[in-house]
Amino acid sequence: MLALQRRNSTVQPLLAIIQAGEDDRLLEISKKIAGRIGLNITQICLEKGCSEDEIVEEVLKLNEDPGVHGVYLHLPPASLTSRVLNTLKPEKDVDGISDLNMGRLVRGDISKGFVPPVASAVLALLEKHDGPLEGKAVLMVGGEGPFGVALQCLIERSGMVAFKSHCSSKNLQSQVMQADAVVLLGAEIVDFPSTWVKPGAAVIRCTPTLESDEHAAALGLGSLTAAYRTQNVVHSCGRWLQEQQYQPWHLRSLKLQPLTPVPSDIEISRAQTPKSVDQLAEEVGLLPEELEAYGRSKAKVRLSLLDRLHEQPDGKYVLVAGITPTPLGEGKSTVTIGLVQALTAHLKLNSFACLRQPSQGPTFGVKGGAAGGGYAQVIPMEEFNLHLTGDIHAITASNNLVAAAIDARMLHEATQSDKGLYNRLVPSVNGVRQFSPIQISRLRRLGINKTDPASLTPQEVSTFVRLDLDPSKITWQRVVDTNDRFLRKITVGQASTEKGQIRETGFDIAVASEIMAILALADGLEDMKRRLARMVVGTSRCGQPVTAEDLGVSGALAVLMKDAIKPTLMQTLEGTPVFVHAGPFANIAHGNSSVLADKLALKLVGRDGFVVTEAGFGADIGMEKFFNIKCRASGLRPDAVVLVATVRALKMHGGGPNVSAGAPLPREYIDENLSLVAGGCRSNLRKQIQIAHLFGVPVVVALNVFKTDTQAEIDLVCQIAKECGASDAVPCHHWAQGGRGSLDLARAVNEAASRPGNFQFLYDIEMPITEKIRTIAQKVYGADDIELSPEAKDKIDYYNKQGYGSLPICMAKTHLSLSHMPDKKGVPTGFVLPIREVRASVGAGFIYPLVGTMSTMPGLPTRPCFYDIDLDPVTEEITGLF
């Protein structure tokens, strides 16, 4: 039995045969030879007069079947049209008859193609006949098509001399008499007296399909052809298995020509022509079947990659975080992109950037897009910042389906009897009444082990149909991906058709949805389904949690999210790969890109490569959640942290004046001021380095240089950062120079990530909820203590009773200060952290306390970014995005 090894399993080569009409004798020969060696065969039998479309349809199915390693088109010559032949994937064309495989043969490159089995069989017969082939004269009669060309190439490469003729040639007799071998090609019958044949010369009659030719069969040509076809199938299977292994990268970097002064972000993005996403995917070792293209420049990547590269060692894992943000901006995304451009385009080390998908809220609000900036960007930046592949829209639809299901269920329970509800929830369809799988799951959770709807008692029916949600304890809100402050509190159910089911609720921004957090933390489709099912949407009047699965909606949510779970592949300005996936905010969610994007990238970069992922806002917010939430969920451990700082932000933390949107920068941020720089370094920068050291991870400080920074200020930051415990501190010029401007950072990260790690979590997951909150407040934020509101205490008690006490903590807190007071810069001390409310995202897997007046729906400023965004209706070019 023939079987090839793949990981811990074996793969049997499979030949698919498409035939028209009944089996013939040579087809039986093929099947017998395949059977002897254990080659699997599947037959597709078409009608004798089948159309070209019918053949093409079957070929397309076989092309997409990974279990089929070869396709034999056992069809009449008239059916082997150019369209049919070139529909067949060349790697499955084991008869070598497609244009591409013929071209490879003529060129002398068959490393990816196949020699036609008939041609190999003819050559084998010639080799067996009367000694060495070198110098023999072979006359080929007929066969003006590709098959004749292929055979001529093989004959000449074997050292023989090939002559061509045709059956009506006046010189045919003399040509035959001079030949050491005669090969008769084509469908027409060519007969000549045996006296024409030189003594000892071979005469071989063949056609590309060998249609029951007696001469061919007598010479054993049919059996040889079948044997060589079988050999091609085995080779095809071997190549397929080789493709399944990790492939070294062959990345072609895109050249940058930085200009001075630096143009706008959108101008730089448009000036670069990105590689097609198919090409990029091939360069980084992705297979065509692992890609789902969304246009020319972006594609979803299928999760089957994780199974294919299961045994591949992970690369180095690097997190980019920042000091406490200021209105002046720090540029973490820009540093992330500049770093991977330096690693891959300049140091030739494999690297992937893993970024979050930007929300429309900041894109049209204050912050703008998140594609990086200057000569360190993801391109095309318009596509990155607007819609991308629709993941946030899928989250919005899923979230709001749950909200609609909640209100609809409360309405129907309030207006129908148990019997009426039961009859509608479990209807009779064509005389058959049965529970759906999700209803059977609910019955099991209720302790009702019955599957026949008629067998439930009245009490069991009532328990089954009544969720009995308490309107005042519904925690699920609707979402929209826009900053809209007037949706923070709304009233629903005011129409007369809702029969008095009026209640107060509100909207969150879409990226604050628990479904977004689930997308970011799930490690596969099955895990995502389980998390969606256990999302708690509210509490019943008797105090029991009500889940999305209780509502019967979790299966539909998985359907809406089935494409969103796949990361999106894009590229940087220098052609290095980027995964964009998930986009939770760090101040109101856990603020990191997806576990799946990181895991896929870690396999693709290889053992010596780097995955650079970004955490939102400051290290006290995004980095803390990366370690305590994301790393717990993924099982991954970081090798280094890059802490981003700017001179301007450090000056603000050192006591510099506040800045106002649209107003000129105060002179302190333009002129050299070493005192303010030192104050910011010894307060906020030092604290953020210390926070990273709480987790045992080495820190490299990346100083994102602005044109107003002086050399003295730059040197001072790097000096103090090292004194504060950073492994290294380097200035970065990627905004103006691209990857070349971050070479020092790339080398420093490479060195830091090579050191042995000592990673540890900040708290034991089994600590009481209150103690976990207190640990974060004191050790990370520097608070003296925490203060729980009565509502927060009640919620913590409730969550403990429901068994949620062992979940990690996701603090919802302002990102503008280490404290809960946005105007307190540097390192505030002497404060008590107020916990206003505590919520649970059970599906995502964390408890999230709301600190102070933290809102989950941002508002628009007086002058939002959308004032500057416009579209040219002629060129369709977008202006104003940044």
Side-chain angles (χ1 to χ4, degrees), residues 64 89 91 243 278 281-282 285-293 300 302:
E64 299 307 313
K89 277 188 175 180
E91 58 266 32
E243 287 176 354
D278 294 341
E282 182 181 356
L286 284 162
L287 303 180
E289 59 266 27
E290 292 168 341
L291 214 63
E292 296 175 5
K300 289 284 192 182
R302 293 179 180 170

Side-chain angles (χ1 to χ4, degrees), residues 360-382:
Q360 279 184 190
T363 298
F364 294 104
V366 177
K367 178 177 175 289
Y375 287 100
Q377 291 189 57
V378 179
I379 55 171
M381 68 93 79
E382 304 101 305

Side-chain angles (χ1 to χ4, degrees), residues 12 143 154 382 398 455:
Q12 281 190 282
L154 289 175
E382 304 101 305
S398 301
S455 66

